[in-house]
Amino acid sequence: MKLLILVSFFTVCTLSLLAQKTEYSVHAQTGLFHFGGKSAEKSSFINSSYTNNPYGTGSSFSYAFYFQVQRITKKNTIWGLQSGYELLASRIKIDEVYIDDMIFKSDGHTSLRNQFILVHPYAGHRFNFGIPLDISVGPDLGIGLKSMEKGTVPDFNLQIKNERDIPAVDARIRINATAYHKSMGFTVGYSYGTINYQANMIGAEPETYSRFLRIGLSYKLPF
């Protein structure tokens, strides 16, 4: 948490020193969130009341809302800071259910919904191809709030709901592109997680990392 505060403070100070033009905007995004790494799977099973491995390579509905401030220098260099809330959900197929030491074939799924407060300092450049196009890169620092596993198997009228561990900070590398038409912008980005969500598990040394292909809209505030 202290590191996040220092990063945010340093970014704001840098923006003030290098500023030529200031832009404020709000962003709404969705996209495809899933897990990568050697332990992320397409399918798993439910053992009584929990999913054996909820870290799926499939995607469920995700959304995010951010506030952004950025400065553009005379040479079109960009320095910015984005902060907000995001709910990122993955999905894994459930093909078996273990009940009373018996194994049953099934057709269900589990989603893992992860909530974060995001801090995203970045740097980039504004190009002009008839319309402004901002290309930027920087760290995504997701402060973990809560992770909830929700599983459904209709064949057995089975529903499960469990809280899972979430990293204190999910550190990701993010590249982003935003094209503008007047005050409206269209954003495409990709966040590549570097933090192992299963680092606290002992024995098998599992590895699962967040991946998020994001798309969305932005609106420049008339400040």
Side-chain angles (χ1 to χ4, degrees), residues 28-32 186-189 212-217:
Q29 295 182 346
T30 184
L32 301 175
F186 177 74
T187 299
V188 177
F212 187 30
L213 175 63
R214 56 180 79 228
I215 58 173
L217 298 174

Side-chain angles (χ1 to χ4, degrees), residues 11-12 28 43 45-46 62 85 104 112 118 121 125 129-131 142 161 169 176 186 189 193 204 206 210-211 215 221:
T11 303
V12 171
S43 64
F45 62 88
I46 289 179
S62 301
Y85 170 83
F104 300 92
L112 189 64
L118 178 82
H125 188 81
F129 302 106
I131 60 172
K161 184 177 180 180
V169 177
N176 210 71
F186 177 74
S210 63
R211 309 283 188 255
I215 58 173
L221 299 174

Side-chain angles (χ1 to χ4, degrees), residues 76-94:
N76 284 331
T77 299
I78 298 171
W79 302 87
L81 178 66
Q82 193 176 83
S83 184
Y85 170 83
E86 54 187 20
L87 188 150
L88 308 181
S90 63
R91 184 182 178 104
I92 191 165
K93 177 179 172 60
I94 300 300

Side-chain angles (χ1 to χ4, degrees), residues 167-183:
V169 177
D170 184 13
R172 319 164 196 144
I173 301 169
R174 176 173 165 188
I175 185 169
N176 210 71
T178 304
Y180 292 99
H181 175 66
K182 298 181 180 179
S183 295

